[in-house]
Amino acid sequence: MSRRCPCGRRTYESCCGPLLAGARRAETAEDLMRSRYTAYVEGAVDYLLETTSAATRGTIDRQQLTAYCRGLRGMSLTIVETAAGGPADDTGVVVFEAALKSEGRRFVQRERSRFAREDGRWVYEGGDVQG
């Protein structure tokens, strides 16, 4: 029985599952954004670290990230806007709204995320949380 992917697009097996398992790479910045959302709610910390740019990966506290993911529940993901980030691009921007629940509190995170290709694959460079 197939379950719906946390990112909301398709089944997990035909959407973010293969990316998190390392069976394939994100083709677009939006694909990477969706798979990172899924990784947060699934607790796939290794995937989150691997898909963060090398320049910022070392600043992430693995234990803190693991604890955050453990207490996180994804409610929904909405892609608000994308700029570039296609199969032929080297950079891209994805604006998203993620409805989440942490420690019993619901909240919506709206972020403008920046992505770039690093060694031929998409990585998360950083983002600006929007009020």
Side-chain angles (χ1 to χ4, degrees):
M1 183 167 150
S2 296
R3 67 177 173 113
R4 186 124 178 104
C5 188
C7 85
R9 206 164 32 178
R10 297 184 293 268
T11 65
Y12 181 77
E13 296 78 17
S14 67
C15 194
C16 294
L19 278 72
L20 272 64
R24 69 177 179 88
R25 290 182 174 177
E27 295 179 19
T28 66
E30 181 180 336
D31 289 344
L32 185 64
M33 166 51 255
R34 288 179 174 280
S35 67
R36 284 178 57 85
Y37 168 84
T38 298
Y40 272 101
V41 301
E42 297 283 316
V45 173
D46 288 339
Y47 183 80
L48 291 169
L49 293 171
E50 291 165 7
T51 58
T52 299
S53 70
T56 57
R57 189 177 306 134
T59 66
I60 298 171
D61 182 317
R62 183 185 186 82
Q63 285 183 306
Q64 197 173 38
L65 178 59
T66 300
Y68 177 72
C69 290
R70 198 172 288 134
L72 193 65
R73 189 167 144 227
M75 310 303 280
S76 66
L77 175 67
T78 303
I79 303 300
V80 176
E81 177 184 349
T82 61
D89 296 317
D90 288 326
T91 62
V93 172
V94 179
V95 179
F96 70 90
E97 291 180 353
L100 303 159
K101 191 173 187 178
S102 179
E103 298 176 6
R105 181 179 73 80
R106 276 187 79 133
F107 64 99
V108 175
Q109 178 168 331
R110 183 181 172 101
E111 182 176 313
R112 181 181 183 277
S113 296
R114 296 177 308 281
F115 298 89
R117 287 198 191 267
E118 194 172 272
D119 297 324
R121 66 184 183 109
W122 285 107
V123 294
Y124 172 75
E125 286 196 314
D128 302 309
V129 176
Q130 302 175 332

